[in-house]
Amino acid sequence: MASPKTVVSSLSLLLALIICFSPTHSSNTIGKGYRLISVEESPDGGFIGYLQVKQKTNIYGSDITTLRLFVK
């Protein structure tokens, strides 16, 4: 089992990544970004975040509707 310090730092990193990939509110926004569906701990002590596209667009081709983000 991961130590509390590892859990906090991993969740902080996951949150930072989600914020980085969140859409801005400028007029140059192309898509709506992704939302976090769920988070689980992986067997090796990392975290897996499941993301789903908020709104599909075809500006640069088809969107990837679901993503799996691994953080360790």
Side-chain angles (χ1 to χ4, degrees):
M1 180 168 236
S3 70
K5 184 177 181 181
T6 304
V7 171
V8 169
S9 59
S10 296
L11 286 175
S12 298
L13 178 59
L14 181 60
L15 179 62
L17 289 170
I18 290 169
I19 290 171
C20 288
F21 290 110
S22 294
T24 60
H25 295 291
S26 72
S27 60
N28 295 333
T29 301
I30 294 171
K32 300 292 183 180
Y34 288 82
R35 67 176 158 256
L36 182 65
I37 301 299
S38 65
V39 177
E40 61 186 48
E41 189 172 355
S42 65
D44 62 353
F47 288 93
I48 302 171
Y50 294 93
L51 306 169
Q52 185 177 45
V53 72
K54 288 183 180 179
Q55 181 179 351
K56 291 183 179 183
T57 65
N58 287 321
I59 294 173
Y60 292 115
S62 299
D63 287 325
I64 300 172
T65 56
T66 54
L67 296 174
R68 187 173 74 170
L69 175 67
F70 177 73
V71 179
K72 183 169 180 187

